[in-house]
Amino acid sequence: MGGIEPLEEAIDFADIEPILISWNSYKGHVYGAPTDFTTGVIWYNEDLFDRYGVTYPTDDWTWEGFRETAKKLTH
């Protein structure tokens, strides 16, 4: 036996969000017991964006876009 054993025979993952299973998997086997996750959210002040003529974030906003927007809003 190795130091770590896959968990799929010991735990029923049927009710667990698939993305949590993938984050705890390696080469097709689950090695971690996921319990929850945190949703990433960014709040922004529309008045500030309007004041400086910066377009609002879109669903395809990237971290690079975030950085460039932050530069435009820094005064």
Side-chain angles (χ1 to χ4, degrees):
M1 294 246 185
I4 299 174
E5 295 292 326
L7 300 175
E8 52 267 19
E9 289 187 26
I11 298 173
D12 180 8
F13 292 104
D15 294 329
I16 297 186
E17 187 69 32
I19 191 72
L20 295 177
I21 295 170
S22 70
W23 291 343
N24 289 280
S25 298
Y26 179 72
K27 292 188 178 182
H29 295 284
V30 183
Y31 291 96
T35 57
D36 59 7
F37 59 95
T38 302
T39 302
V41 177
I42 297 174
W43 298 91
Y44 64 96
N45 182 329
E46 291 181 353
D47 293 337
L48 188 64
F49 276 69
D50 293 343
R51 180 182 313 147
Y52 294 107
V54 178
T55 57
Y56 299 156
T58 60
D59 289 342
D60 61 346
W61 214 28
T62 63
W63 283 112
E64 182 60 31
F66 177 88
R67 183 171 183 239
E68 293 304 315
T69 300
K71 288 178 184 178
K72 292 175 187 176
L73 295 171
T74 302
H75 294 272

